[in-house]
């Protein structure tokens, strides 16, 4: 838990050592967490940067020596100033643990009010934002975090939740899943920010399992993998597709004509979907939702025991 502190042998870390030790920070606006609406920016409060001071949980105060507390206090002071009305995770170390890996991080509160976090999903990323593991933690165990403070905490990510093995955890980062703008999952499955926020844990896990089990694409191949279909009360049909790009070039799409077929092979719906800055990176897959409104639907009573979506020329 305190490997970095022990390596210092009671010495105060230098600012250079602190900057080298602390990983890229994950920042979550207070307004993004329902439990933290009390910490929303108040009228006229301004958006100045905040230097956070050390706040120790009582259980940590009991265990740490004065030298260790002093070293942690110095580390907290040397963290980069945080914009006001945010929460953040600043990882300092990741070490093997008998149950998996242990990550030490500062949980920071730059609001003017004490906060108590709730249940949240955290992720460990490595390399080019690839997902190593994700796990839900009850952050209320950290206790109430005072205003403008940084509280160190230890997070155990258990081996059962590892999504990749035999990877070099260089350039790693611990992050709030909600704060991620983009995340690459195993087998190069990429989720955009809107999907990270909208999907449930079960849906994300289903995507991960699907990505793991799909056969590899041939070099240069691009295809559409049908994933999920549902009908809405207004008569629309929502289909989720996984767009897979097996080429060495990024694939940019402005519009995409798609036909929906049912189990009998009949064309159920057809339309052209206009996409805004939609890119599927090389050797990457990206899920997307396509909605056929009633005016695009051609068959009234389709058999969706099996279905597929393809380009019109695939019919």
């Amino acid at each position: 838990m305190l490997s970095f502190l022990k390596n210092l042998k009671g010495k105060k870390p230098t600012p250079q050592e602190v900057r080298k030790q602390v990983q890229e920070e994950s920042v979550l606006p207070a307004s993004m967490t329902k439990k933290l609406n009390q910490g929303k920016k108040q009228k006229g409060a301004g958006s100045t940067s905040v230097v956070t001071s050390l706040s120790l949980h009582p259980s940590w105060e009991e265990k740490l020596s004065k030298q260790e507390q002093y070293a942690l206090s110095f580390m907290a002071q040397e963290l980069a100033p945080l914009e006001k009305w945010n929460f953040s995770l600043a990882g300092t170390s990741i070490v093997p643990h008998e149950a998996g890996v242990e990550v030490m991080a500062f949980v920071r509160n730059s609001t003017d009010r004490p906060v108590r976090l709730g249940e949240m999903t955290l992720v460990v990323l490595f390399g080019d934002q690839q997902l190593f593991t994700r796990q839900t933690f009850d952050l209320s165990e950290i206790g109430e975090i005072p205003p403008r403070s940084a509280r160190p905490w230890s997070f155990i990510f258990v081996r059962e939740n590892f999504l990749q093995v035999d990877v070099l955890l260089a350039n790693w980062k611990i992050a709030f899943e909600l704060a991620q703008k983009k995340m690459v999952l195993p087998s190069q499955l990429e989720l955009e920010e809107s999907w990270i926020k909208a999907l449930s844990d079960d849906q994300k896990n289903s995507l991960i399992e699907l990505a793991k089990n799909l056969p590899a694409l041939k070099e240069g191949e691009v295809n559409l993998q049908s994933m999920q279909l549902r009908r809405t009360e207004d008569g629309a049909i929502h289909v989720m597709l996984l767009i897979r790009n097996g080429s060495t070039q990024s694939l940019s799409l402005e519009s995409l004509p798609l036909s929906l077929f049912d189990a009998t092979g009949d064309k159920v719906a057809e339309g052209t979907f206009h996409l805004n800055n939609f890119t599927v990176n090389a050797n990457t897959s990206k899920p997307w939702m396509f909605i056929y409104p009633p005016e695009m639907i051609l068959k009234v009573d389709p058999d969706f025991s099996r279905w597929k979506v393809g380009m019109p020329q695939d019919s």
Side-chain angles (χ1 to χ4, degrees), residues 231 237 262 264-269 296-303:
R231 306 195 71 167
I237 299 175
D262 69 1
T264 66
D266 290 344
K267 185 182 294 183
V268 176
M296 287 187 183
I297 296 174
L298 307 174
K299 185 175 180 179
V300 177
D301 190 22
D303 175 5

Side-chain angles (χ1 to χ4, degrees), residues 78-92:
E78 286 298 316
L79 293 172
L82 186 63
E83 283 295 307
K84 201 171 182 183
W85 306 107
N86 286 304
F87 305 94
S88 84
L89 280 173
T92 61

